[in-house]
Each structure stands twice: as C-alpha cells, then as structure tokens.
C-alpha cells in the first residue's frame, strides 16, 4: 500500500515569513496529491491539490510543487498570517489489487505562526 | 447547499459495547469515505462506499464495518469496543471516488471508550 511521510511534525515561523512542508510517497502510480488544512476543533478542508501531469500549482499565497522522480511534493505558504496557524495534512491515493481506493494521509504538520 | 452531517457528535461508551455512527453526504455525492483520526496516527482510512458498494477497506479489524444506503447516507459500526477505539471518526463525501477529487468532511463523531 501507499506510504506517505510528512515533515516536519511541528513548524514555527514568524508572521510574514514563508513556511514549507514536505511529503514523500512510495507508490509511483500515485497521480493526485491534495493538501488539507484543519484548524483547531474544525473539519479538514482542501486548500490545494496537484495532479501528476503538472509540476507546480499556485493559489494566491499557497503553492504546491511535485517531483515525480523523487516521489515528493511540498506545500509552500508565503507571507504567513495568524490565520494560517493549523494542522496541515498531505495525502496520496491508496492502492489495492483493484486499483486506487481512498487516500493515505501524512501524520500532519502543526504550523504555528508567531506574532 | 448543506454540508456533510455526522451524528452523533459526541458519545461515550464502555468496553465491549457497540456503536453506530451516521453520515449524510452532500446532495449528489455518491462516495462516502470514513477515516479515524487520533493524535498519534493522524487520519487513517477505514473504508469507502460508492453507490452502496464497499470499494475497499483499510487496515482495521473486522469489528469495524459499514454500509451505504440507496440515498447515499452511510453508517459505520464498531462492535466489541476497545479503549483504543477512542477517536474522532470523520466521514467525507465526494462526487466521484474519494481518491481523485476533493473530499468534503463532516465535523466528526468523537467517541470515547471507557
């Protein structure tokens, strides 16, 4: 099955600085890589995703890069703001004998924005 | 458009009991996935249902089961509860299968096993 490793587990940055979270995956067949943000006490919500036919995708202050050869993808947040404080999860498709089913999530990164 | 609704939101059970959790997906979504969230293990895939059929199951014992009804609502059941089953159980719905597009999560059912 798919194995997703996420680093770091905790990241503290000064407000206005950039934050980078990295994930690696094991199955070369993976073709969809979403990032979810979970604020304290709330549900996870998709913030950005990338498919394997592109190397980078941006949405305002958030960007995701994908390196298929190295099997890793990263979330980049620029000009961090207090509301960026949350737990961020990366994910990749699970694979079984019948094909891709469900998602395997990384264990999460707790991003702390220091004022 | 109503979001994903999970009931109950909180429940306390004792070891050996069983529990049933319910999930109503967003209207028009045919896929419902279930995940267990714990502080140490993050989000772990339990199973996914699509058009009333279980597509796959994660690495959980047979005590964990589920089903999906014709209106796409889903239930999951845990029998013979153990202390380690204490967790937040999240369900998520999606238009297509749960590994190719956005998952819309419910607020979860927090289960405490005493």
């Amino acid at each position: 099955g798919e194995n997703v490793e996420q680093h770091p587990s905790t990241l503290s940055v000064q407000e206005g600085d950039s934050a980078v979270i990295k994930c690696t995956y094991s199955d070369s067949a993976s073709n969809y890589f979403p990032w979810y943000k979970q604020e304290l006490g709330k549900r996870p919500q998709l913030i950005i995703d990338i498919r394997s036919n592109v190397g980078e995708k941006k949405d305002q202050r958030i960007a995701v890069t994908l390196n298929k050869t190295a099997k890793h993808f990263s979330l980049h947040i620029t000009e961090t703001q207090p509301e960026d404080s949350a737990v961020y999860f990366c994910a990749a498709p699970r694979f079984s004998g019948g094909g891709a089913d469900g998602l395997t999530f990384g264990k999460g990164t707790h991003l702390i924005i220091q004022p | 458009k109503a979001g994903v609704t999970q009931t109950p939101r909180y429940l306390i059970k004792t070891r050996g009991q069983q529990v049933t959790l319910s999930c109503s997906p967003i209207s028009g979504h045919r896929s419902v996935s279930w995940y267990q969230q714990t502080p140490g293990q993050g989000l772990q895939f339990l199973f996914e249902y699509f058009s009333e059929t279980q597509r796959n199951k994660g690495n959980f014992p047979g005590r964990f089961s589920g089903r999906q009804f014709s209106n796409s609502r889903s239930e999951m059941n845990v029998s013979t509860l153990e202390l380690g089953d204490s967790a937040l159980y999240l369900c998520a719905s999606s238009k297509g299968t749960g590994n190719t597009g956005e998952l819309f999560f419910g607020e979860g059912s927090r289960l405490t096993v005493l």
Side-chain angles (χ1 to χ4, degrees):
Chain A
E2 178 69 275
N3 184 42
V4 176
E5 299 283 341
Q6 182 172 347
H7 300 279
S9 57
T10 303
L11 178 59
S12 181
V13 300
Q14 290 294 124
E15 183 178 347
D17 287 351
S18 296
V20 180
I21 303 170
K22 299 181 180 179
C23 287
T24 60
Y25 61 97
S26 60
D27 200 317
S28 57
S30 289
N31 56 3
Y32 174 66
F33 306 93
W35 286 89
Y36 284 81
K37 174 184 180 183
Q38 186 175 29
E39 297 178 19
L40 187 63
K42 297 189 176 181
R43 69 190 80 190
Q45 290 188 298
L46 180 74
I47 55 171
I48 195 167
D49 57 13
I50 191 169
R51 300 189 186 272
S52 58
N53 58 343
V54 297
E56 184 176 7
K57 183 177 179 181
K58 289 183 179 180
D59 183 3
Q60 299 182 1
R61 298 186 296 109
I62 294 173
V64 56
T65 58
L66 172 64
N67 183 326
K68 287 197 67 180
T69 302
K71 294 184 191 173
H72 69 71
F73 55 112
S74 300
L75 177 70
H76 305 254
I77 305 174
T78 59
E79 301 173 13
T80 52
Q81 299 171 4
E83 55 265 35
D84 295 329
S85 293
V87 178
Y88 292 80
F89 294 95
C90 63
R94 287 169 40 88
F95 286 90
S96 64
D101 291 290
L103 292 172
T104 295
F105 282 84
K107 293 192 176 181
T109 295
H110 185 193
L111 177 61
I112 301 166
I113 307 301
Q114 303 279 6
Chain B
K1 200 174 192 180
V4 177
T5 305
Q6 290 187 248
T7 57
R9 290 290 314 282
Y10 303 91
L11 65 167
I12 299 173
K13 294 285 187 178
T14 56
R15 281 178 296 175
Q17 287 187 310
Q18 67 94 27
V19 66
T20 299
L21 309 177
S22 180
C23 173
S24 293
I26 290 173
S27 178
H29 286 191
R30 297 167 63 189
S31 170
V32 173
S33 303
W34 288 89
Y35 288 85
Q36 182 194 64
Q37 185 172 27
T38 57
Q41 296 299 316
L43 286 154
Q44 291 188 290
F45 175 74
L46 280 156
F47 28 65
E48 178 186 6
Y49 286 87
F50 186 84
S51 295
E52 301 180 65
T53 301
Q54 185 180 91
R55 297 191 72 240
N56 201 20
K57 186 173 181 179
N59 298 324
F60 282 83
R63 300 185 296 108
F64 292 80
S65 63
R67 59 178 175 169
Q68 187 179 32
F69 303 95
S70 58
N71 61 357
S72 294
R73 189 177 70 86
S74 177
E75 289 182 345
M76 68 163 281
N77 184 77
V78 188
S79 62
T80 320
L81 285 166
E82 301 177 359
L83 295 179
D85 296 333
S86 295
L88 180 67
Y89 290 88
L90 291 163
C91 95
S93 74
S94 58
K95 289 183 181 178
T97 59
N99 59 289
T100 59
E102 183 173 3
L103 294 178
F104 293 84
F105 284 90
E107 292 186 293
S109 292
R110 185 167 295 282
L111 171 65
T112 302
V113 182
L114 302 177

